[in-house]
């Protein structure tokens, strides 16, 4: 702790100064009277901290979470008590399952009113306990620097994640003469020499290895180190579900996106592997397709699991070699590992690469507008630049399949499957990287969950492009409904506004595209508008709703389900 003489300050001033000490450059907030001293203290840091005034707390939280993904530093979000906190909770859950560093500050009733169910009072320890790494309430103004320093440490160490701090009004209005706490140096965890030797031995014995990357905390150097390792060993490389930014997909060793929606050749490759090396990923349900291609608790493949949290190692899968290390520390330790001869599987890796490239060829789609071709056009025009964001829904499968993501910052996608994420994430990306394109893929339902954040794009003049996939229904649920209750569609359709008119109310540019021939020119116009005017553009994609996912049709799902029901009835099976 610094010994510098400090003046008497109120709690808000102490807290905002401490955020500056720890490198916060931007805070996302929906203002509330419960933390007014913090808002006022931002006046003293206009040169260092940019406040982003959001329209609803879920949008603010998503923006902070996306900031954490983009920077590996905690995204900072301020919300007011009660309703503000409950609105922001979806972003905390996202940060928890996505292993994203984030700190949510919540205004709280004063300690003189606590435990009386005062206006908007909630026990945040009980509310956020299961979905945050640490939840606390700062009851002493003089201890604010201590709590902030600990929050940064907890949010970024081991498996990164969210921290929630409640701020009673008397703590913020109270005064104290207390020194600031300097930030600690980021620590990385490394494998031992013995573990590296064991990894090398596993590689020497393998015939069909696979390297699976995921998780958070990646840096450009770590990605270069892991790419060099993959090249030396000619390893096929995949990325975990919605961790599309963890490896440059233009690299010759990249063979696909692992998890829900992956192509069949990759699925069969994973099942037949004799060695799976997983770095940074928990091997969660979507990545493993319901724990199917790799079985729990004892996989048929030899499993090397590298993860920064020792409690995760052995939690779901029993690894043959468990290494407690983060992606930066582990990747930096691989420089001395190299095969003595050309790996026998080199040709198999090349074959897997060709199978992946084949998946980039657009599949057939019904109607005049092919979402497959639309997404390939986006990929070609962006040419590896910018960031693609998605929320949740079958529409996201088009980006997952057809975009070749270029590494860090190229994708923002919630592994928790949270709807309404894409627009706030695109805004956060554009704030962080103003010169890069930010493209939001959004279903018509997903977009409307947070479309009010267009006001942020207007206010801060952010030139993002939004592609709204308009099929007038909750498409993912409709696909499940047709599979489980074929021909009994109900309660899944909705009437949409004119999205092209809506964006114009926010100062933006809007178009409707209904056929393949019109899209490329419309997308170029949208990009040009965002670059020139620094305001949002939106393209509404109207397409045949029967095309529910790449290569899949609702009518086929229904027909298959009806045939299955007929077979069950004919045979008497339950």
């Amino acid at each position: 702790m610094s010994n510098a003489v400090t003046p008497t300050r109120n709690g808000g001033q102490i807290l905002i100064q401490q955020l500056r000490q720890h490198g916060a450059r931007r805070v996302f907030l929906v203002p509330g009277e419960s933390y007014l001293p913090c808002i006022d203290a931002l006046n003293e840091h206009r040169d260092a901290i940019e406040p982003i005034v959001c329209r609803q707390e879920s949008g603010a939280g998503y923006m902070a979470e996306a900031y954490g993904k983009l920077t590996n530093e905690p995204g900072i979000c301020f919300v007011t008590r009660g309703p503000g906190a409950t609105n922001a909770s979806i972003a905390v859950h996202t940060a928890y399952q996505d292993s994203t560093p984030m700190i949510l500050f919540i205004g709280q009733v004063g300690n003189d009113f606590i435990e009386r169910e005062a206006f908007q009072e909630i026990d945040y320890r009980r509310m956020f306990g299961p979905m945050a790494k640490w939840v606390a309430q700062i009851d002493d103004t003089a201890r604010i620097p201590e709590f902030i320093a600990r929050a940064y440490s907890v949010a970024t160490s081991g498996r990164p994640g969210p921290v929630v701090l409640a701020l009673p009004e008397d703590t913020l209005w109270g005064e104290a003469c207390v020194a600031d706490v300097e930030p600690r140096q980021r620590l990385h965890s490394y494998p031992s020499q013995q573990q590296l030797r064991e990894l090398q031995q596993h590689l020497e014995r393998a015939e069909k290895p696979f390297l699976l990357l995921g998780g958070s905390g990646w840096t450009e150097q770590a990605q270069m180190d892991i790419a060099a390792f993959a090249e030396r060993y000619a390893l096929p490389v995949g990325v975990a579900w919605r961790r599309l930014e963890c490896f440059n997909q233009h690299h010759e060793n990249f063979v696909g996106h692992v998890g829900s929606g992956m192509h069949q050749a990759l699925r069969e490759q994973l099942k037949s592997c004799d060695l799976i090396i997983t770095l940074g990923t928990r091997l969660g349900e979507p990545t493993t397709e319901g724990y199917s291609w790799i079985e729990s608790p004892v996989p048929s493949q030899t499993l090397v699991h590298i993860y920064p949290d020792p409690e995760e190692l052995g939690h779901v899968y029993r690894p043959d070699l468990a290494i407690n290390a983060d992606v930066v520390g582990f990747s930096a330790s691989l420089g001395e590992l190299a095969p003595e001869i050309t790996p026998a599987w080199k040709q198999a890796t090349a074959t897997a690469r060709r199978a992946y490239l084949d998946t980039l060829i657009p599949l057939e789609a019904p109607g005049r507008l092919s979402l497959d071709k639309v997404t390939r056009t986006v990929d070609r025009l962006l040419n590896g630049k910018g960031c693609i964001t998605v929320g949740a829904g079958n529409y996201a499968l088009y980006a997952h399949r057809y975009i070749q993501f270029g590494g860090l910052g190229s994708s923002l996608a919630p592994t928790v499957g949270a709807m309404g994420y894409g627009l706030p994430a695109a805004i956060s990306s554009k704030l962080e990287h103003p010169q890069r394109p930010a493209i939001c893929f959004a279903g018509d339902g997903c977009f409307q969950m947070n479309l009010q954040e267009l006001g942020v794009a207007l206010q801060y003049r952010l030139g993002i492009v939004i592609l709204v996939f308009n099929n007038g229904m909750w498409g993912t649920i409709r696909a499940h409904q047709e599979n489980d209750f074929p021909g009994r569609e109900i309660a899944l359709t909705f009437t949409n506004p004119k999205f092209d008119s809506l964006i114009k109310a926010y100062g933006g540019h809007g178009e409707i595209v209904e056929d393949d021939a019109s899209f490329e020119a419309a997308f170029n116009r949208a990009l040009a508008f965002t670059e020139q005017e620094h305001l949002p553009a939106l393209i509404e994609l109207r397409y045949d709703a029967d095309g529910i996912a790449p290569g899949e049709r609702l009518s086929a799902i229904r027909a298959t389900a009806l045939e299955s029901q007929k077979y069950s009835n004919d045979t008497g099976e339950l």
Side-chain angles (χ1 to χ4, degrees), residues 9 159 161 212 281 291 384 561:
R9 299 169 291 175
R159 175 187 172 184
L212 177 60
T281 176
Y291 312 101

Side-chain angles (χ1 to χ4, degrees), residues 160-176:
V163 167
V164 177
L165 292 180
L167 308 171
E169 290 186 7
D170 50 315
T171 299
L172 295 180
W173 286 96
E175 295 185 342

Side-chain angles (χ1 to χ4, degrees), residues 278-300:
T278 65
L279 171 58
T281 176
R282 293 188 298 114
L283 287 173
E285 178 189 349
T287 297
T288 62
E289 291 192 321
Y291 312 101
S292 61
W293 64 259
I294 181 168
E295 297 178 2
S296 173
V298 182
S300 59

Side-chain angles (χ1 to χ4, degrees), residues 65 69 93-100 159 215 240-245 282 286-287 390-391 412-418 421:
E65 195 276 345
K69 278 192 172 84
H93 188 218
T94 300
Y96 185 75
Q97 286 221 331
D98 284 41
S99 304
T100 305
R159 175 187 172 184
W241 191 71
R242 294 195 159 204
R243 295 298 192 179
L244 301 148
E245 72 284 358
R282 293 188 298 114
T287 297
V390 301
L412 288 170
T415 68
V416 73
Y421 180 88

Side-chain angles (χ1 to χ4, degrees), residues 116 141 146 156 207 209 258 273 285 296 302 330 333 490 525:
R116 293 178 176 175
T141 304
E146 170 196 341
T156 58
E207 296 180 359
V258 176
C273 280
E285 178 189 349
S296 173
T302 297
F330 181 80
S333 303
I490 191 172
R525 285 192 293 270

Side-chain angles (χ1 to χ4, degrees), residues 285-492:
E285 178 189 349
T287 297
T288 62
E289 291 192 321
Y291 312 101
S292 61
W293 64 259
I294 181 168
E295 297 178 2
S296 173
V298 182
S300 59
Q301 308 96 326
T302 297
L303 175 62
V304 176
H305 196 177
I306 307 106
Y307 200 74
D309 183 357
E311 293 187 4
E312 187 62 36
L313 297 169
H315 182 211
V316 178
Y317 290 97
R318 194 209 69 187
D320 297 272
L321 173 60
I323 300 177
N324 180 207
D326 66 7
V327 296
V328 171
F330 181 80
S331 300
S333 303
L334 296 172
E336 297 180 5
L337 293 189
E340 295 183 359
I341 60 174
T342 300
W345 55 79
K346 184 174 182 179
Q347 186 55 47
T349 297
T351 300
R353 172 68 178 176
R354 287 194 295 272
Y356 158 69
L357 293 176
D358 286 344
T359 68
L360 300 179
I361 300 171
L363 297 170
E364 290 187 7
R368 298 162 54 206
L369 181 64
S370 164
L371 300 183
D372 308 70
K373 292 178 181 178
V374 161
T375 312
R376 286 302 296 146
T377 299
V378 170
D379 188 55
R380 173 170 54 83
L381 295 177
L382 290 180
N383 193 26
K385 301 176 183 176
C387 179
I388 304 289
T389 72
V390 301
N394 276 13
Y395 72 87
L397 296 175
Y398 292 92
H400 295 172
R401 182 183 181 100
Y402 293 117
I403 299 292
Q404 287 190 278
F405 295 90
L408 287 181
S410 62
S411 169
L412 288 170
T415 68
V416 73
M419 299 190 76
Y421 180 88
L423 176 60
I427 288 171
S428 198
S429 176
K430 197 66 176 178
L431 284 165
E432 188 64 20
H433 301 293
Q435 304 308 314
R436 299 184 191 175
I439 315 298
C440 169
F441 279 48
D444 46 358
C446 192
F447 176 61
Q448 291 182 83
M449 286 197 174
N450 264 322
L451 67 80
Q452 74 281 344
E453 301 308 326
L454 285 172
V456 178
L458 168 63
Q459 180 173 345
Y460 296 92
R461 299 193 69 87
L462 303 174
I464 60 174
V465 177
I466 305 147
L467 302 181
V468 176
F469 292 66
N470 183 359
N471 61 3
M473 64 182 177
W474 300 106
T476 302
I477 313 307
R478 174 70 184 277
H480 285 295
Q481 189 178 61
E482 290 290 4
N483 185 68
D484 296 331
F485 301 98
R488 293 176 58 80
E489 184 274 325
I490 191 172
L492 295 183

